Amino acid sequence: MYSSDAVETLIPHRAPFLFADRVTAVSNEEIIGYKTFSEDNELLKGSFPAHGFVPGVILIESMAQCGGAGIKLLGLADGLFGLAGIETARFMKGARYGVPIRYVIKNIRVSEKIIKQSGIAYMDEEPVMEATWTCVKIG
């Protein structure tokens, strides 16, 4: 298991925009990562304040960060990559603060310039969202 301290050595993001707590499994086909969002996060306080839901776009960013950390752990790509496109995103239910979210990420295409992944986010073993995205090398 790779904690958020280790994740910080893999991707450039830092609090309050670090949305990957840990990566627990990596293979060339699949990456498993986790994030538990705190309602104390200053960046997220104004979103759905009366309902306690994590914004969907933040869930996508979180999944992409876990996917990027997994790619770095595997040594499949080097350099700095940035989110370039979200091809699909579907939300099934709101993700609540304080509940761990498990991301199951599939590597679709990985090269030195492009990373394409898809994933499903689970809360309490139920899917809350799924997405497909592309990251490109920016540095």
Side-chain angles (χ1 to χ4, degrees):
M1 177 176 10
Y2 304 91
S3 69
S4 60
D5 292 343
V7 170
E8 283 186 357
T9 67
L10 301 168
I11 61 176
H13 305 80
R14 298 295 178 267
F17 208 78
L18 177 64
F19 299 133
D21 287 341
R22 63 191 186 278
V23 175
T24 59
V26 294
S27 72
N28 286 348
E29 293 78 35
E30 185 176 87
I31 297 161
I32 307 291
Y34 287 84
K35 175 65 181 168
T36 302
F37 289 92
S38 168
E39 59 190 40
D40 294 332
N41 183 313
E42 285 295 321
L43 190 66
L44 306 179
K45 275 190 174 184
S47 181
F48 299 103
H51 303 284
F53 293 126
V54 179
V57 70
I58 298 297
L59 292 175
I60 295 170
E61 173 66 25
S62 179
M63 192 175 334
Q65 287 184 19
C66 286
I71 291 292
K72 294 292 185 163
L73 283 169
L74 289 166
L76 297 178
D78 195 23
L80 182 63
F81 284 78
L83 188 59
I86 300 167
E87 295 175 30
T88 62
R90 188 169 71 106
F91 302 92
M92 289 76 120
K93 62 189 290 187
R96 297 182 315 274
Y97 291 100
V99 179
I101 299 169
R102 177 174 56 97
Y103 300 110
V104 179
I105 301 159
K106 304 288 184 193
N107 294 323
I108 298 170
R109 178 180 176 203
V110 180
S111 72
E112 280 300 314
K113 294 184 180 185
I114 294 174
I115 299 169
K116 182 174 181 179
Q117 296 173 308
S118 67
I120 301 175
Y122 296 90
M123 183 181 63
D124 297 327
E125 297 304 316
E126 291 184 43
V128 294
M129 62 89 59
E130 60 186 17
T132 302
W133 65 93
T134 302
C135 294
V136 296
K137 191 170 190 171
I138 57 176

